[in-house]
Amino acid sequence: MDVKVKVKRLITRNKGDEFDLVIEPNKTTGDFLLELIKYRELFFFLAWRDIIVRYKQTIVGVAWSVIRPFLSMVIFTVIFGRIAKLPSEGVPYPIMVFSALLPWNYFANAMSQSSGAVLRGGSMVSKIYFPRIILPTSAVLVAVVDFLISFAMLIILMLIYGFMPSLTILLLPIFFIPASLAALGVGYFFSAIGVEYRDFQHITPFIVQFGMYVSPVGFSSSIIPDKWRLIYSLNPMAGVIDGFRWCIQGSSQSLYLPGFVISMIMSALLFFYGLKFFRAFEKSFADYI
């Protein structure tokens, strides 16, 4: 099967008595995604490799996935809950904050991991052909593992506070989808542009830091004035975070449906244009790496 796929990409160009064989990727996005499915073994292998490297070559290992959101929760609780005394939607403030840190940390980790994936896999890119999109996409699975570890911590936190989530928590995967699309879209864009402009990778932490403070992580989005609520929802993570809180807090947290719809649209647009941008630049990756 692999041989047939490669033969379809062979293009002959006549130069007198000489012929050049040029291997090119498929042109359309649909064919490209089908090709990605055919390389699923490589996809899962790279994802597993990244997960192993992540947890074997760090000092604190899995503990880092717990320490970082815990410290963020403490800081936001003290600043916004104790000092600013912002409303907590009828639930303990630490639970409200941690319900938002779950999707935000997943988005931030997924975007950061995928942004540098092509550069990390440069030795493969410069030697063999495979769908380049595998590199940033497989890197996102590392963030999924971090998310599951943090979710276990949230369950422990709810047990400590005696908080019982409602059945809406079963709808959590619905809001996981737009978070993944937004992270992949931004990751594709940063991953592609970072190959040519290596200094761009230093901008990513700043964007993550700025995005956390303009997203409703340490506070409820209900404090945003109604006249600005729709504009604020142009931030794709605003609707995702509200959705996570609604799933976990149930009736105590109202879901702003128009804002969620806008966030879903923005996430889809980020994914589509990020993928399109990546496809436009991928043929030059080997030249810059």
Side-chain angles (χ1 to χ4, degrees):
M1 180 180 296
D2 289 340
V3 174
K4 292 181 180 179
V5 172
K6 291 180 180 179
V7 169
K8 289 180 181 179
R9 299 191 197 96
L10 291 179
I11 302 175
T12 61
R13 296 174 180 170
N14 194 348
K15 296 180 180 179
D17 296 329
E18 297 181 358
F19 291 89
D20 292 336
L21 296 180
V22 181
I23 300 178
E24 294 182 346
N26 291 326
K27 298 296 184 181
T28 64
T29 301
D31 290 339
F32 183 69
L33 294 177
L34 291 175
E35 186 179 47
L36 179 60
I37 296 175
K38 292 179 181 179
Y39 283 81
R40 59 187 178 275
E41 292 85 1
L42 178 61
F43 172 84
F44 288 113
F45 171 79
L46 293 176
W48 179 248
R49 181 204 62 180
D50 290 340
I51 293 172
I52 294 298
V53 170
R54 163 87 176 201
Y55 293 107
K56 286 189 66 176
Q57 297 183 1
T58 55
I59 298 176
V60 293
V62 178
W64 179 245
S65 301
V66 176
I67 294 173
R68 184 171 59 176
F70 176 78
L71 292 178
S72 299
M73 178 198 67
V74 172
I75 293 172
F76 281 127
T77 300
V78 171
I79 295 177
F80 294 107
R82 300 295 183 182
I83 299 178
K85 297 186 182 300
L86 296 180
S88 63
E89 303 291 343
V91 300
Y93 210 92
I95 293 180
M96 189 198 76
V97 171
F98 209 91
S99 299
L101 283 172
L102 275 177
W104 174 257
N105 283 343
Y106 167 70
F107 168 81
N109 292 338
M111 185 188 70
S112 300
Q113 289 289 329
S114 61
S115 295
V118 175
L119 288 177
R120 292 195 302 269
S123 59
M124 296 176 57
V125 173
S126 60
K127 295 177 182 177
I128 61 174
Y129 173 78
F130 62 94
R132 310 310 193 200
I133 203 71
I134 285 180
L135 292 171
T137 307
S138 63
V140 171
L141 292 187
V142 178
V144 175
V145 176
D146 285 346
F147 174 85
L148 295 176
I149 295 174
S150 298
F151 188 78
M153 182 180 174
L154 175 63
I155 295 176
I156 296 174
L157 192 64
M158 289 190 292
L159 291 175
I160 293 175
Y161 280 92
F163 179 82
M164 180 63 67
S166 64
L167 292 177
T168 52
I169 197 172
L170 299 177
L171 300 176
L172 208 60
I174 296 177
F175 300 92
F176 193 83
I177 295 174
S180 301
L181 292 178
L184 284 170
V186 178
Y188 290 157
F189 178 83
F190 286 173
S191 182
I193 200 172
V195 173
E196 183 174 356
Y197 303 100
R198 302 297 176 91
D199 292 340
F200 196 82
Q201 59 185 321
H202 302 299
I203 303 178
T204 304
F206 171 77
I207 296 176
V208 171
Q209 193 74 12
F210 176 78
M212 183 173 66
Y213 288 113
V214 299
S215 299
V217 177
F219 55 90
S220 173
S221 61
S222 61
I223 68 173
I224 305 297
D226 291 339
K227 62 180 180 179
W228 300 110
R229 197 77 184 271
L230 282 176
I231 297 178
Y232 185 71
S233 298
L234 291 175
N235 174 2
M237 289 307 297
V240 172
I241 291 173
D242 284 345
F244 266 71
R245 281 183 171 146
W246 175 74
C247 289
I248 294 172
Q249 299 173 199
S251 59
S252 61
Q253 165 74 26
S254 59
L255 179 62
Y256 182 57
L257 192 57
F260 172 69
V261 173
I262 292 177
S263 294
M264 286 281 289
I265 295 174
M266 292 300 298
S267 297
L269 289 176
L270 280 175
F271 177 79
F272 175 77
Y273 284 106
L275 177 60
K276 187 176 181 180
F277 185 86
F278 189 95
R279 291 284 289 122
F281 280 83
E282 69 170 333
K283 57 185 177 183
S284 64
F285 286 168
D287 296 331
Y288 289 102
I289 292 178

